[in-house]
Amino acid sequence: MGKVIVMTSGKGGVGKTTSSAAFAAGLAMKGQRTVVIDFDVGLRNLDLIMGCERRVVFDFINVINGDARLSQALIKDKRIENLSVLPTSQTRDKDALTRDGVEKVLDELRDQFDYIVCDSPAGIERGALMALYFADEAVIVTNPEVSSVRDSDRILGVLGSRSRRAEQGLEPVKEHLLLTRYDPSRVEKGEMLKLEDVLEILAIPLLGIIPESETVLKASNLGMPVILDPTSKAGQAYTDVVGRYLGETIEHRFMQPERRGLFQRLLWRTA
Amino acid sequence: MTSATQAKTIERSSPPFQLRGGAYTLLVLRLNDPKDPALFQALADKIAQAPNFFRHAPVVIDLQNLADAPPFNMAELGRRLRQHQLVPIGVQNGTEEQNRAAVNAGWSLFPEGRQAPMREGAPSARPVEAPASAGAAKPADAVEAAEEKPAPADPEAGEAMHGVTARLITQPVRSGRQVYAHGGDLVVMASIGAGAELLADGHIHVYGALRGRAVAGVSGDREARIFCRSLEAELVSIAGYWRVRDDIPDALIGKPAQVFLDGERIAIEPLA
């Protein structure tokens, strides 16, 4: 019976899709049968980040409407075994997501996969609610910045009151914090919130910190989950996150600014 | 006299109505046996494929095949059609007697119109089941799209209807938008964004870059083709067969090309 994990944040642009792609890819690389679903109906992006946009025929909405079978819509990743993508429709909107339809698809996926990663749209409306309703666990993607932290707090409230687990009085959705776009040097200068501040406000366990990195944008443009780039610090951080999620003990990294050598510092000053 | 009352007077002097001609695409229901017990079940199945498309759709009943048929209750037929949320508005090709019954039922008499081609062997009700092999299968999108966008009306796209055979779009078709040329060809003078969808019962012509999806011969016309100035499509489909971008040879990408159905296979050729 697979586990449903939602990647959510409330706020847009914090790295939900990047994190969904990397996290799902990481789980699959660890041998877990994993599928990642795009819930952002009408603003379909996950297939681009996963590099499978040229192979989309049927999508999540087709499956919900019974126009296609799940097996026709699932796209197997070409690089990673065990990894599948369920893209969404660009021409429909969030109203195409029905609770019964989503439940049916997720139930079918639970039989076939160990992990079902739901890439939530921003906001707290229908799309986001549908993405989190059936979740067993939630990864809250947050930037070290006040508005993002406040929106994360809001979405945690929604998880605790409007998810199926909350409505049916089951064991609550397990929450994880993923702090993305963390720039230690700006934290040091006081331009960004400190990890401790974020943890203090949100009060949920930290799954990992992803440093701000140019490689993320580069990987997105290539249609490659950044975790596949072993030279990228962000990619390494996601690898740590996946290991930690699966129960390994891995220390948090990338929390200190990079110390520049004397030569680099001189160059920096003159630049 | 104030300007307001002046305006009122002018308004009053205009006639209470305007009478103009309009050309519309109508559904034509050609009956073979109005007493066939399976008729309404078959009709319901057809409607279920695209309920929004058929809802309150005006229907002309074609009696061509019933010239020698025993008389039947036309008012009852109308009632049954309305039960299926179809709106019968008239008949064509009826006998004198049938026409009289139709007029009594409150319908109009239509001269035989030009009809969308119904080719031999073109399946009228195509199952949504798709064969497993890639490259030859059925896009459920066709039905879905018809549901979402019934016949005309797409004011944003800056289009004009010329008769009923073709639909002309002069503005770029953006990601997420759908344009359906019902019963005819679709001509687009601009580019089609990735994530946009063009559908036509006939051919599709794109005089810009085709970056989205193009689905021609939606109703099963195997002769339909797709023409474009720059082929960069995510998916091309004709009469239910398709090819995704990954299956389009790189040599054709970005080139003027035509797409047509060659037997059971989608063929793509450069346009010289």
Side-chain angles (χ1 to χ4, degrees):
Chain A
M1 197 62 175
K3 230 179 230 171
V4 177
I5 307 165
V6 61
M7 285 277 172
T8 188
S9 69
K11 194 175 181 304
V14 296
K16 285 181 296 295
T17 303
T18 299
S19 298
S20 298
F23 189 66
L27 286 171
M29 285 156 79
K30 292 270 190 182
Q32 308 288 336
R33 293 168 302 162
T34 309
V35 60
V36 55
I37 311 180
D38 194 347
F39 271 81
D40 205 349
V41 185
L43 290 168
R44 164 180 129 185
N45 280 159
L46 181 68
D47 53 322
L48 288 172
I49 307 286
M50 295 297 296
C52 64
E53 76 280 5
R54 296 176 173 191
R55 292 192 286 145
V56 177
V57 179
F58 294 114
D59 57 49
F60 189 22
I61 304 304
N62 292 138
V63 179
I64 286 178
N65 292 342
D67 299 331
R69 290 188 306 271
L70 187 56
S71 57
Q72 292 175 301
L74 283 175
I75 301 177
K76 280 204 166 55
D77 192 274
K78 284 183 170 170
R79 298 154 296 208
I80 309 161
E81 222 185 320
N82 298 322
L83 181 61
S84 293
V85 181
L86 184 53
T88 194
S89 164
Q90 178 80 345
T91 52
R92 309 295 295 267
D93 61 28
K94 309 289 194 270
D95 292 337
L97 293 169
T98 62
R99 191 172 279 183
D100 292 346
V102 172
E103 180 174 28
K104 231 180 89 218
V105 175
L106 289 181
D107 282 348
E108 206 175 320
L109 289 171
R110 278 179 203 265
D111 291 337
Q112 299 175 28
F113 293 94
D114 300 313
Y115 291 102
I116 299 141
V117 179
C118 302
D119 179 23
S120 170
I124 50 169
E125 287 81 27
R126 189 178 185 89
L129 289 178
M130 285 295 166
L132 67 77
Y133 186 76
F134 296 100
D136 301 308
E137 303 198 11
V139 175
I140 311 298
V141 184
T142 307
N143 291 166
E145 177 242 325
V146 281
S147 58
S148 173
V149 173
R150 181 190 290 183
D151 290 358
S152 294
D153 195 45
R154 178 83 171 90
I155 206 82
L156 282 164
V158 174
L159 270 168
S161 60
R162 301 186 62 185
S163 62
R164 177 167 66 173
R165 283 175 174 271
E167 280 185 5
Q168 299 183 352
L170 305 170
E171 199 183 315
V173 176
K174 193 171 170 194
E175 296 151 346
H176 308 270
L177 176 64
L178 185 62
L179 200 55
T180 54
R181 312 194 69 164
Y182 196 76
D183 186 340
S185 62
R186 295 189 65 189
V187 171
E188 210 168 53
K189 282 187 254 172
E191 294 171 3
M192 269 187 178
L193 288 179
K194 282 204 292 278
L195 170 66
E196 297 75 44
D197 299 339
V198 179
L199 283 173
E200 204 255 329
I201 299 168
L202 296 180
I204 58 173
L206 179 67
L207 182 60
I209 300 163
I210 312 297
E212 175 80 316
S213 164
E214 290 168 13
T215 54
V216 172
L217 183 64
K218 219 187 318 176
S220 295
N221 286 336
L222 287 173
M224 178 181 92
V226 70
I227 200 167
L228 292 177
D229 179 358
T231 64
S232 154
K233 289 207 164 58
Q236 294 166 17
Y238 278 115
T239 307
D240 288 0
V241 162
V242 172
R244 226 173 268 134
Y245 177 81
L246 292 173
E248 295 168 34
T249 311
I250 302 168
E251 265 200 65
H252 292 287
R253 296 195 270 171
F254 312 113
M255 293 162 65
Q256 301 305 322
E258 280 173 55
R259 296 291 164 214
R260 291 190 172 85
L262 177 65
F263 185 62
Q264 279 173 313
R265 245 184 303 175
L266 284 172
L267 278 177
W268 185 255
R269 292 253 165 84
T270 54
Chain B
M1 203 191 261
T2 67
S3 60
T5 51
Q6 227 164 20
K8 226 175 190 172
T9 324
I10 291 164
E11 213 174 76
R12 271 209 195 112
S13 69
S14 67
F17 62 80
Q18 281 186 315
L19 195 55
R20 293 190 303 175
Y24 298 93
T25 309
L26 294 173
L27 289 174
V28 177
L29 180 68
R30 180 172 294 170
L31 291 176
N32 294 323
D33 179 5
K35 291 181 175 169
D36 185 343
L39 169 65
F40 286 99
Q41 186 53 51
L43 195 60
D45 292 346
K46 180 77 189 166
I47 289 169
Q49 289 178 3
N52 291 335
F53 174 71
F54 287 110
R55 186 167 302 137
H56 310 310
V59 176
V60 173
I61 300 160
D62 188 343
L63 302 170
Q64 182 182 294
N65 296 345
L66 300 179
D68 305 321
F72 63 99
N73 188 338
M74 209 140 334
E76 171 66 9
L77 174 68
R79 200 181 60 77
R80 295 292 298 269
L81 289 176
R82 276 188 295 272
Q83 272 176 359
H84 288 84
Q85 304 213 323
L86 294 174
V87 183
I89 57 169
V91 297
Q92 65 178 24
N93 297 326
T95 61
E96 214 166 291
E97 193 185 339
Q98 284 166 341
N99 285 349
R100 217 167 18 243
V103 170
N104 284 339
W107 297 344
S108 155
L109 303 179
F110 280 76
E112 189 178 12
R114 246 193 319 166
Q115 281 167 27
M118 185 77 157
R119 283 172 204 280
E120 284 302 306
S124 58
R126 299 178 305 136
V128 173
E129 193 74 13
S133 69
K138 192 139 313 268
D141 312 51
V143 168
E144 179 197 305
E147 261 176 64
E148 234 190 37
K149 205 151 280 281
D154 194 355
E156 281 174 59
E159 49 104 27
M161 290 288 288
H162 289 295
V164 290
T165 51
R167 195 167 168 205
L168 175 67
I169 307 281
T170 53
Q171 298 294 308
V173 181
R174 307 286 180 195
S175 185
R177 298 200 31 80
Q178 261 180 346
V179 181
Y180 179 22
H182 182 70
D185 295 353
L186 179 60
V187 182
V188 185
M189 306 293 299
S191 288
I192 315 304
E197 225 168 76
L198 301 182
L199 303 117
D201 287 333
H203 310 295
I204 294 176
H205 310 256
V206 179
Y207 293 95
L210 172 56
R211 302 196 177 93
R213 292 174 163 219
V215 182
V218 168
S219 309
D221 184 356
R222 300 170 63 97
E223 301 296 314
R225 293 188 179 207
I226 299 165
F227 307 87
C228 61
R229 281 272 286 270
S230 176
L231 179 68
E232 298 162 43
E234 294 171 322
L235 176 144
V236 288
S237 165
I238 289 167
Y241 297 87
W242 75 65
R243 262 213 226 185
V244 294
R245 167 68 182 263
D246 252 17
D247 300 328
I248 300 175
D250 276 345
L252 292 167
I253 299 295
K255 302 275 173 11
Q258 66 159 327
V259 182
F260 56 98
L261 198 56
D262 177 14
E264 304 273 281
R265 197 180 66 92
I266 292 277
I268 305 176
E269 277 182 3
L271 282 175

